Amino acid sequence: MTSASDLAIFLTNDLTGISRGRAFPIDDLRDRMVAGCGWVPANLALTPFGVIGENPFGPIGDLRLQPDRDSDGYNLMGIDGEPDLHAYLCDIVATDGQPWGGCGRSFAKRALADLAGEFGLTLKASFEHEFFLLDHPARLDGAFTLSDFRAAQGFLGTAMGALGRAGVHPEMILREYGPRQFEVTMKPATGLAAADRAVILRDVTRDIARQFKSRACFSPIIDPSSVGSGVHLHFSLTASDGTPRTHDPAAPGGISQQAASFVAGILRHMPALCALTAPSAISYLRLTPHRWSAGFNCFGYRNREAGVRICPVDDSPGRDVSRQVHLEFRASDATASPFMVLGALVRAGLEGLRAKLPAPPLVEGDPADLSPAQLQAMNIRRLPESLPEALAEMRRDDVVMGWLPPELQQGYAALKTAELARVDGMTPQQQCDLYASCY
Ligand code: GLU
Ligand code: MG
């Protein structure tokens, strides 16, 4: 049953990882699924702080937000008499319906299509999210405690229900280590759906928290002296018929040659990738050694200091390990677009597959304890220590720049220049406070 006041909304989750869009009466949905709704090129340079940076598009040009025609959308669930809102994630297309170069979702689609076309491979993936629950009446300072979980369970349970109804297949929710920190995980999805679900998870979780008069804050760090919140991308490769392609019991770490080459491509480009996966000024307060985030572009076996790690499996007798073996990219956070993270990871992995790169050495200890000579011998580097450094790495990496259409390059540069200018001169805590208010 719909009523005249029921609305639907078309959304783009932009380069800042923030969903923005336009709403309309739900009765118009059938027409809108074909026609889309208007959008503007200069919006690509919107900073998280809501201001459009100086950009080459200016007031010129028109675009459309276009959902996939067969999409069912997802419901933002109103509790306590608040209205529901039916949402659709869109591509940004030109007025003739052709993909627009500045669209992050299309960037990810193209990368996945090349992975399938060139290697017959599909990515199964799940974005694991940490977040801070702010403005909650309880103190929430007990790491992993039942008492904190119970204090927040009204919100947590309602959020899990809403996530289930929104189709993201939530898996687990927990009180994490940091003060007021929680984590929510999803079951793996195939290809683009993994990034779509990351967007939906953040939007739904924030929406439910708001209705509980609290705030689910996905900012990478809210206190420079405390732990950060990561968005870890769990992934594995499968053949198009679903056969797992990540596991080889005879190979080091149990990782197949193909998956190892894919990881080697990621590690090779990781300093530049950080500009897309950890793309805010404060991302680099989190991305430091000894925070269990990722300080180095190394391949770790069950190692939470590694940029990419091999995750543990249940290898008790009778359990099928091949379907569980998967990898985790840890150098990303929620100031990144999940589409750019997924697309860039696949693009880097593809470079490794094409070059048949050898398996990277496995690091079992803390990479910060390795000597400069050891790091060099294993091709391991400290990841960038600031956003300007990461952006410079990206500009220097012709391969990474070559993945990005001109509109993405221009829009991204414009956005990051304005973003950095806005936080220039602030203390780390002031920067954290500003980002916390946006994420
Ligand atoms: N909070 C850590 C991060 O910033 C991750 C801790 C964990 O391994 O769950 O990535
Ligand atoms: Mg965690």
Side-chain angles (χ1 to χ4, degrees):
M1 267 292 278
T2 60
S3 83
S5 59
D6 284 342
L7 299 176
I9 190 162
F10 282 176
L11 295 171
T12 173
N13 190 265
D14 71 8
L15 299 180
T16 66
I18 292 176
S19 294
R20 313 182 199 254
R22 299 183 179 187
F24 51 86
I26 204 147
D27 289 348
D28 293 346
L29 185 58
R30 191 195 291 261
D31 292 342
R32 286 273 172 210
M33 288 303 281
V34 178
C37 73
W39 203 243
V40 175
N43 285 354
L44 200 58
L46 261 164
T47 65
F49 321 121
V51 173
I52 298 178
E54 186 78 26
N55 69 85
F57 312 109
I60 310 302
D62 279 299
L63 299 166
R64 287 203 326 250
L65 297 184
Q66 184 67 61
D68 298 335
R69 297 264 158 94
D70 57 356
S71 166
D72 292 330
Y74 61 99
N75 211 29
L76 288 159
M77 188 187 88
I79 63 169
D80 292 343
E82 287 219 19
D84 288 357
L85 179 63
H86 210 65
Y88 289 82
L89 278 179
C90 297
D91 291 342
I92 310 177
V93 300
T95 51
D96 65 1
Q98 291 303 306
W100 184 55
C103 173
R105 192 164 183 267
S106 306
F107 169 73
K109 278 186 182 174
R110 284 192 301 276
L112 290 161
D114 286 353
L115 183 65
E118 290 177 42
F119 293 95
L121 291 172
T122 303
L123 196 81
K124 260 176 67 180
S126 170
F127 287 80
E128 169 190 317
H129 286 81
E130 293 171 333
F131 64 95
F132 299 99
L133 185 60
L134 306 181
D135 303 337
H136 191 277
R139 284 174 55 88
L140 303 177
D141 54 6
F144 310 112
T145 57
L146 173 64
S147 56
D148 276 8
F149 191 88
R150 289 290 288 157
Q153 193 177 339
F155 155 68
L156 298 171
T158 307
M160 284 297 263
L163 291 170
R165 274 192 288 275
V168 304
H169 302 269
E171 184 185 58
M172 188 165 278
I173 195 155
L174 54 122
R175 172 72 177 79
E176 245 287 1
Y177 175 61
R180 303 186 289 286
Q181 193 179 36
F182 290 81
E183 173 175 309
V184 55
T185 64
M186 294 179 277
K187 297 181 178 125
T190 300
L192 190 74
D196 282 348
R197 289 180 189 180
V199 172
I200 298 168
L201 178 136
R202 295 174 203 177
D203 288 345
V204 167
T205 306
R206 282 195 197 99
D207 192 60
I208 297 296
R210 176 186 59 78
Q211 296 181 73
F212 273 84
K213 312 268 181 283
S214 298
R215 215 147 54 80
C217 175
F218 288 82
S219 183
I221 188 158
I222 60 171
D223 172 355
S225 65
S226 190
V227 298
S229 280
V231 175
H232 305 159
L233 178 50
H234 292 253
F235 64 96
S236 63
L237 297 170
T238 64
S240 42
D241 65 358
T243 310
R245 283 287 160 77
T246 309
H247 184 225
D248 174 356
I255 299 302
S256 70
Q257 179 54 55
Q258 263 193 328
S261 292
F262 191 91
V263 171
I266 294 170
L267 298 182
R268 174 177 282 187
H269 295 289
M270 200 159 171
L273 286 185
C274 286
L276 298 170
T277 64
S280 70
I282 59 166
S283 295
Y284 296 86
L285 299 174
R286 165 182 169 259
L287 220 53
T288 55
H290 306 132
R291 278 178 188 277
W292 296 27
S293 58
F296 294 84
N297 65 338
C298 63
F299 192 28
Y301 181 67
R302 301 186 178 185
N303 183 343
R304 288 184 167 79
E305 285 286 325
V308 177
R309 76 166 182 142
I310 305 172
C311 294
V313 292
D314 171 4
D315 50 6
S316 46
R319 299 283 288 145
D320 180 359
V321 171
S322 69
R323 291 195 177 273
Q324 300 176 53
V325 169
H326 71 278
L327 305 154
E328 180 189 36
F329 178 83
R330 296 175 67 82
S332 51
D333 65 57
T335 58
S337 149
F339 300 114
M340 295 306 292
V341 173
L342 191 77
L345 219 76
V346 170
R347 282 273 167 239
L350 267 168
E351 301 289 342
L353 286 169
R354 288 179 190 135
K356 295 193 166 53
L357 291 182
L362 278 177
V363 175
E364 294 195 32
D366 185 343
D369 291 341
L370 297 172
S371 70
Q374 286 172 312
L375 290 172
Q376 200 180 13
M378 291 197 272
N379 253 327
I380 298 172
R381 284 187 49 192
R382 174 79 174 88
L383 291 174
E385 296 183 42
S386 70
L387 178 57
E389 226 183 90
L391 290 166
E393 290 281 359
M394 185 166 83
R395 282 194 299 272
R396 269 201 298 276
D397 190 328
D398 294 336
V399 174
V400 172
M401 291 305 277
W403 304 334
L404 306 175
E407 295 90 342
L408 264 184
Q409 288 189 21
Q410 293 165 354
Y412 208 62
L415 147 66
K416 291 299 152 190
T417 303
E419 183 173 336
L420 283 168
R422 175 73 178 83
V423 300
D424 190 35
M426 289 183 169
T427 64
Q429 185 60 60
Q430 287 168 332
Q431 294 183 345
C432 287
D433 292 345
L434 179 61
Y435 279 99
S437 70
C438 305
Y439 287 94

